[in-house]
Every structure is written in structure tokens, then in C-alpha cells.
Amino acid sequence: MEIDGCEPEGQEKMRENAVPDGFNANYLKVYYGKLFPHSDLFKWMSYGNDGKHPACDQSYIGRREFSFTLADDIYLRFQSFNSVHEMENSIKEKCPFKIDIGPVYSVDPTKRHAYAQSGDNVFTPVERELVFDIDITDYDDVRYCCSGADVCLDCWPLMTVAIKVIDTALRDDFGFNHILWVYSGRRGVHCWVCDGRARRLSNEQRAAIADYFRVYKGNENSQKKVSLVGPALHPFLARSYTEVLKDFFEEKLLPGQKLFSTEERYEKILKIIPDESITSELRGKWQENRRSSISKEDINAIRWEQLKHMLQSGKQKAQGLRRCVEEIVFSYTYPRLDMEVSKHMNHLLKAPFCVHPKTGRVCVPIDPKSCEEFDPTSVPTLSKLLEELNMGGFRADADDEWERTSLGKSVKFFRLSFLQPLLKSCKEEIESAYNAKLQLSKNSLSW
């Protein structure tokens, strides 16, 4: 069987095996049937509770909500599965355009109505990964290459910076270890923090962690979107500034987005400075420069150095204006989180390895250690994967077909770098809790 009648022979093999770009249900059926890592997703969501250890909670995975979005925006909420075969069969049969993952509830979500009739509020979320959602459309006021859902290699590094800043803080400041970053398939990134203590956080605790990261508080109408108060930066902010944000702003964003190249652009930066005498002097210099022979390449760096010199010179120190340089850098580069996604346990988030229906791109994991190498324009697409399958010919009984496609690298990374260490930790946690319970039981008997 081959897609679109492609034949794998002849001198023009690549062209003959080509699959038209795009997204459709027929492509998706093949993807779910041949490439989607059903068992890895199920093992992840089970967190070690699918084993035979007496302490395993056999009801755990069956209380997890999965949500399917079908063609024509038909939503199927509160799906649940008790085995990998049940989940795989349902996905293959329904062929969802999107799979979202929700919380683990106190009871099986498919039976929620029966519990609702009892009068007790027993249907409630009890566990959920701590999640973060960052969308590049929230940076439209600081990127001039693209807008809306469009993204290119000039503005995507804003997402790279967000990954570096948030990932470091989650590990170093909060002590989390099992963190998964995933490309959203179009214009952003998702983060899943999967440590046991992260999954058991209350909504209040989640809100507190989200607030820890909240520096950018602006909207389209506010001129100053970051206020850094106090005599010194919080250690987390100081580290982010010196290790990531400052260099990125000066070396990448400033020349890449040409932040000082036009009056409209530099006026946006001048509005952040509260001292009118300084902004007037800088404005005068720059308007005069329009008639000079400074090259367009140099003008951004020169104007930034002039601004820094004025704000950081000794006479300005007493006026508290030195902090303005940091506020400008944070305003343009600091991660802009969708706070509501992180605050609530019952928020749905798209599963890894879904295919984005607008781009056809697969939502692949991103390695935070080498996230600057990630290129959203070169991730596997549905049509490309089917071409790769066609090239090798279909094998009816073959497992792990993804190994011979460009998806293989992503599945291996998910399995080896994220899933295996996570499951090892989960099993140790289950064993430890079981032994503690046994010891407690022995101690009570000895009395």
C-alpha cells in the first residue's frame, strides 16, 4: 500500500514518492496507524502505575482525561482509557485532529455524571503536571519580521530564550528534574513539569510559582510593561539577565529586529524612560543622525550604546535611572507566559507528537540543552513523513516505523532523555512509599 499511488522505483524516486503538502484525515490515519508513539504516551501518563508492584494504583491512568478535537471542531471531552490498546484503538478509530491532555480526576471522568447525582463533589482534579504555555504572538510588539501566527528564524530565538530562562529556574530554584519542552506545531512552546511533587501542587501553589516568573505585566496599551523595583534584582532575575537576556538582546534581537532603525521603533523604547530631559536629548541626537552617513547596520548598536551611556553615567545614578537599561532588556526579551494555563489543574494542553492542522508540523520535543539549534521550519511534517514511509515501502507487520523517518530522532529523545529517567524515578517513589507504609504497619503491630 502506498499513499497517492506513489511508486518507489525508477530514477525519479524522490519525486514519484512525493506526497502533496497539507493536512487531511487520510494522512492522519496513516500517521496514527504507523508513526504515533502510542505506547510511550501511555507509559508517560501512567507514571509507573501500569506495573505489577503491589503499590501501583491500577485506577490511575483510567482517571486521566484525554480530549479529542475531531474534524469540524467537534470536541470529545472526558475520554479515558485503561490500557494502551484501548487508547490506541480509540485514536486510530476517531482520528482526532488534536489530542489534549487534562488532569487526573478523583474518579473516572467518563463516569462523572453518576457521581454528580450523588450530591457530593467527588469529581474533582487531584493531580496534573505543572504546565507552561508560551506563544510568540504575545511578542508582536517587539518583533518586526513577523506578526500573528507567522514565525521565522529571526523571531523564533525569543522562544529559545524563554526555554533557557524558565528551564534553568525550574531546575535550580525549584529543584524539578523531569521537564519536557514541546514545540506547539506553529508559533510557540509548551512545558510539562512531571515530578511527583509538581503534579500534586494545589491551584494556589501553581499560581505562586507562575507569579514567581511574572515580570512582564504589560499589554498593548501600557507604555511601561516591566518595573524592576528595589535596590538590587532578585537573584533569579539577575541570573537571567547576565546569563541569557543581556547578550541575546544586544547580539541577536537588537540587530535582527533593527530596534532603533526608525523613529517609530526607537520612540517605543524611549517611552520606557521616565526622564523627559534624557529622552529629549537622545531624540535630538538620533533625529540629527538621520542626515549623517551612519550605516543601517551600525545605527542600532550606536544608538543603544548612547542610550546606555546616558542612563548609566554617574549623574543619573542618583535618579534611579540606571535600572531603565535592565527594564528595556526585560521588556523585549523576558518570557511572556500565559499565566492562566499554569494556575489551574483542569487546564487542557496539547499532547506531544500531535500534528498541527494549520501547518502539518509534528509537535516534537525540544532539548533544552541545545534549544538554540531547534528550527521550527524544519521539523517533520505530515506529508514529509508519509513520503519517507513511501520511500521504504510499507511493511504490514513492522513495529517502530518511525525509526526510518525524520520523526525517529524526536521519539528517541523523548524515550531516552525524558521518559526512561522519569519512570525510573516514579518506580523508586512507589517503592519508597510502599516500604514506608509497611514499616508503619510493623510499628503499629509492635505496640
Side-chain angles (χ1 to χ4, degrees), residues 107-126:
V107 295
D108 182 343
T110 61
K111 299 172 183 171
R112 65 196 181 283
H113 295 305
Y115 291 99
Q117 292 167 4
S118 69
D120 299 321
N121 187 24
V122 293
F123 179 65
T124 184
V126 294

Side-chain angles (χ1 to χ4, degrees), residues 17 20 44 46 63 144 160 192 218 221 230 261 294 302 342 344 355 359 364 374 396 409 432:
N17 280 288
W44 171 30
S46 297
R63 293 185 282 116
Y144 298 103
T160 303
W192 301 75
N221 302 315
S261 62
I294 300 174
I302 289 171
S342 304
H344 304 293
V355 179
T359 63
V364 294
F374 180 79
K409 182 181 175 184
S432 177

Side-chain angles (χ1 to χ4, degrees), residues 304-322:
W304 174 241
E305 289 304 319
Q306 289 172 337
L307 181 150
K308 281 200 300 182
H309 177 73
M310 287 203 68
L311 288 174
Q312 294 179 330
S313 62
K315 64 178 182 178
Q316 306 299 345
K317 190 172 182 180
Q319 299 174 34
L321 290 172
R322 292 171 64 86

Side-chain angles (χ1 to χ4, degrees), residues 246-256:
K246 181 177 179 292
D247 287 350
F248 169 70
F249 180 87
E250 295 185 342
E251 296 170 13
K252 297 281 179 67
L253 197 70
L254 184 67

Side-chain angles (χ1 to χ4, degrees), residues 106-396:
S106 50
V107 295
D108 182 343
T110 61
K111 299 172 183 171
R112 65 196 181 283
H113 295 305
Y115 291 99
Q117 292 167 4
S118 69
D120 299 321
N121 187 24
V122 293
F123 179 65
T124 184
V126 294
E127 199 171 295
R128 204 270 188 277
E129 297 77 14
L130 174 64
V131 295
F132 298 92
D133 182 4
I134 309 170
D135 194 323
I136 205 159
T137 55
D138 292 327
Y139 293 78
D140 278 358
D141 62 318
V142 299
R143 60 182 186 138
Y144 298 103
C145 52
C146 303
S147 63
D150 294 331
V151 64
C152 71
L153 296 183
D154 283 330
C155 56
W156 180 259
L158 287 161
M159 297 291 97
T160 303
V161 163
I163 293 172
K164 287 182 174 181
V165 168
I166 301 298
D167 189 79
T168 299
L170 288 170
R171 295 178 196 275
D172 293 355
D173 301 351
F174 291 96
F176 296 127
N177 295 306
H178 304 290
I179 301 168
L180 177 69
W181 288 93
V182 183
Y183 172 49
S184 71
R186 191 180 192 187
R187 59 192 184 195
V189 292
H190 299 155
C191 176
W192 301 75
V193 187
C194 303
D195 299 60
R197 60 190 183 87
R199 303 197 309 271
R200 292 185 282 271
L201 291 168
S202 66
N203 283 340
E204 292 74 19
Q205 291 168 326
R206 291 165 196 269
I209 292 176
D211 203 50
Y212 179 84
F213 290 112
R214 190 168 183 242
V215 172
Y216 182 86
K217 301 175 182 179
N219 56 45
E220 289 180 1
N221 302 315
S222 56
Q223 291 182 359
K224 191 168 183 178
K225 298 172 182 179
V226 172
S227 290
L228 302 173
V229 296
L233 286 178
H234 184 283
F236 156 60
L237 298 180
R239 180 186 65 217
S240 300
Y241 182 76
T242 57
E243 293 183 5
V244 181
L245 303 181
K246 181 177 179 292
D247 287 350
F248 169 70
F249 180 87
E250 295 185 342
E251 296 170 13
K252 297 281 179 67
L253 197 70
L254 184 67
Q257 298 298 329
K258 300 178 176 57
L259 298 181
F260 288 87
S261 62
T262 68
E263 185 173 351
E264 181 187 2
R265 294 183 187 184
Y266 69 64
E267 280 296 336
K268 194 181 290 186
I269 293 173
L270 291 179
K271 284 177 181 176
I272 298 173
I273 303 169
D275 189 298
E276 182 59 36
S277 64
I278 291 178
T279 57
S280 295
E281 187 174 341
L282 287 169
R283 189 179 293 114
K285 277 185 183 181
W286 297 344
Q287 288 175 343
E288 196 176 301
N289 281 348
R290 282 189 305 187
R291 293 181 289 275
S292 74
S293 59
I294 300 174
S295 71
K296 288 286 184 185
E297 288 73 24
D298 296 333
I299 202 165
N300 296 287
I302 289 171
R303 288 177 174 177
W304 174 241
E305 289 304 319
Q306 289 172 337
L307 181 150
K308 281 200 300 182
H309 177 73
M310 287 203 68
L311 288 174
Q312 294 179 330
S313 62
K315 64 178 182 178
Q316 306 299 345
K317 190 172 182 180
Q319 299 174 34
L321 290 172
R322 292 171 64 86
R323 186 57 55 80
C324 275
V325 172
E326 294 163 350
E327 288 180 342
I328 290 166
V329 172
F330 273 89
S331 295
Y332 276 72
T333 63
Y334 187 80
R336 303 181 179 188
L337 304 177
D338 184 336
M339 300 293 283
E340 295 306 309
V341 171
S342 304
K343 287 180 179 180
H344 304 293
M345 290 178 86
N346 58 359
H347 211 291
L348 298 171
L349 194 64
K350 182 164 51 180
F353 298 104
C354 283
V355 179
H356 197 291
K358 294 284 199 315
T359 63
R361 294 176 187 164
V362 180
C363 302
V364 294
I366 300 172
D367 184 352
K369 293 176 184 173
S370 57
C371 54
E372 60 280 345
E373 297 171 14
F374 180 79
D375 178 357
T377 65
S378 65
V379 301
T381 63
L382 196 52
S383 55
K384 181 185 178 187
L385 291 171
L386 298 197
E387 278 181 21
E388 290 165 355
L389 284 178
N390 274 352
M391 286 290 293
F394 279 89
R395 294 171 294 180

